[in-house]
């Protein structure tokens, strides 16, 4: 009996996961076809406000984590390879630029914004604010979801690049101090080693992560039932599903980059 219940639970989780993927994909398609509503003044205000909340207000914590990340990576590299400056720069590119940077930036956004967006939309739904919007002839998706998804995606791309700059600058500074070499020599080694495609991949990852985080958060918030107890539930689901999708996307991107 217990085995049967476990199988049923696993099946229900699989069905819920498939429904979430389908719902998020449909929502993403809707947003991509309605970006023109961003030119409407009230929607544009929501868009800029979301960029401020997700991007501008997160710059301090991103700066701190970026510097600590670069310092930690360089410290570990130096303890392993010693004073090899060229190898240190290469490993910094392999770790921070390709993997750690985009992931850390996405995790920070999930921690700060994913639960907040899902909770905000869920509260609006429980208070029937979306019903009032529809009665006034205003599409809830156009007014609430489109600017949030667009704003979060743009903010994640910008913060991902900013995180990389801080982590790399801090890491190179610490490596120059540890290895007793010029900071500008380390920057020169980095610029001569890194490829332009690396930054293109960073921007692509940031865009994909931003779309995933914002779409999942909005999807869970819009699906909330008319009960206050739904608010913490959708917030938890939004965070967990965002983490799952981000790590899955990162693994897929890494795999296709390896085989291409």
């Amino acid at each position: 009996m217990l085995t049967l219940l476990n199988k049923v639970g696993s099946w229900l989780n699989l069905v819920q996961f498939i429904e979430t993927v389908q719902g998020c994909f449909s929502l993403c398609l809707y947003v991509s076809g309605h970006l023109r509503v961003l030119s409407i003044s009230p929607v544009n205000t929501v868009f800029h406000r979301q960029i401020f909340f997700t991007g501008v207000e997160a710059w301090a914590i991103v700066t701190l984590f970026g510097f600590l990340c670069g310092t930690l990576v360089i410290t570990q590299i130096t303890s392993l390879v010693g004073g090899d400056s060229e190898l240190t720069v290469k490993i910094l590119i392999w770790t921070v630029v390709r993997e750690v940077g985009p992931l850390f930036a996405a995790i920070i956004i999930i921690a700060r914004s994913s639960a907040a967006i899902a909770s905000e939309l869920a509260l609006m739904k429980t208070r029937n604010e979306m019903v009032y919007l529809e009665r006034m002839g205003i599409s809830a998706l156009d007014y609430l979801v489109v600017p949030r998804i667009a704003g979060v995606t743009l903010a994640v791309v910008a913060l991902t690049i900013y995180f990389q700059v801080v982590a790399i600058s801090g890491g190179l500074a610490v490596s120059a101090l540890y290895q007793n070499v010029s900071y500008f020599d380390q920057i020169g080694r980095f610029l001569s080693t890194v490829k332009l495609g690396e930054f293109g991949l960073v921007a692509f990852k940031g865009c994909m992560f931003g779309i995933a985080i914002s779409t999942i958060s909005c999807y869970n918030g819009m699906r909330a039932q008319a009960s206050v107890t739904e608010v913490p539930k959708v917030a938890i689901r939004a965070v967990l599903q965002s983490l799952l999708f981000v790590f899955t996307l990162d693994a897929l991107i890494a795999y296709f980059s390896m085989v291409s």
Side-chain angles (χ1 to χ4, degrees):
M1 184 65 179
L2 184 60
T3 303
L4 178 61
L5 290 176
N6 288 334
K7 289 183 178 179
V8 172
S10 299
W11 173 253
L12 291 176
N13 289 333
L14 178 60
V15 171
Q16 185 180 17
F17 176 76
I18 295 174
E19 289 178 351
T20 301
V21 173
Q22 292 176 340
C24 291
F25 185 71
S26 299
L27 186 60
C28 190
L29 286 179
Y30 179 89
V31 172
S32 64
H34 290 76
L35 289 175
R36 62 183 181 276
V37 301
L38 294 175
S39 60
I40 302 174
S41 181
V43 180
N44 190 260
T45 300
V46 178
F47 170 68
H48 284 94
R49 187 181 296 126
Q50 189 63 59
I51 292 177
F52 177 79
F53 289 150
T54 303
V56 177
E57 289 194 335
W59 76 269
I61 190 67
V62 170
T63 302
L64 176 61
F65 273 91
F67 179 77
L68 292 176
C69 175
T71 302
L72 178 62
V73 170
I74 286 297
T75 302
Q76 295 299 317
I77 293 173
T78 304
S79 66
L80 292 174
V81 304
D84 191 336
S85 300
E86 186 174 349
L87 182 58
T88 298
V89 170
K90 288 182 179 179
I91 297 177
L92 185 67
I93 295 172
W94 297 336
T95 54
V96 175
V97 175
R98 295 182 182 177
E99 295 298 335
V100 177
L103 270 180
F104 269 35
I107 291 171
I108 293 171
I109 297 301
I110 291 172
R112 292 192 72 260
S113 301
S114 187
I117 293 172
S119 300
E120 183 183 18
L121 293 177
L123 279 173
M124 296 178 74
K125 192 167 185 179
T126 57
R127 295 170 180 170
N128 293 321
E129 294 181 29
M130 296 181 187
V131 176
Y132 300 148
L133 286 174
E134 296 292 344
R135 289 176 179 174
M136 291 187 291
I138 302 172
S139 170
L141 290 177
D142 288 347
Y143 181 63
L144 300 175
V145 175
V146 174
R148 280 174 171 80
I149 291 180
V152 170
T153 301
L154 184 59
V156 172
V157 174
L159 285 178
T160 299
I161 296 173
Y162 178 67
F163 185 97
Q164 303 278 34
V165 172
V166 173
I168 292 168
S169 300
L172 292 177
V174 174
S175 70
L177 181 63
Y178 280 167
Q179 299 170 359
N180 197 23
V181 296
S182 170
Y183 177 61
F184 294 103
D185 288 343
Q186 288 293 76
I187 293 178
R189 290 189 184 93
F190 174 81
L191 294 177
S192 62
T193 304
V194 72
K195 299 178 181 178
L196 187 61
E198 303 282 359
F199 295 104
L201 182 62
V202 167
F204 176 74
K205 279 189 175 183
C207 183
M208 291 296 100
F209 292 168
I211 292 173
I213 294 168
S214 57
T215 305
I216 290 169
S217 302
C218 291
Y219 174 76
N220 281 283
M222 297 295 288
R223 288 185 70 245
Q225 303 298 320
S227 172
V228 178
T229 58
E230 280 287 297
V231 176
K233 293 180 182 179
V234 299
I236 293 171
R237 282 202 300 268
V239 171
L240 294 179
Q241 290 176 3
S242 295
L243 287 172
L244 175 62
F245 273 73
V246 163
F247 277 90
T248 302
L249 281 172
D250 188 62
L252 290 174
I253 293 172
Y255 173 76
F256 285 114
S257 298
M258 181 180 64
V259 299
S260 61

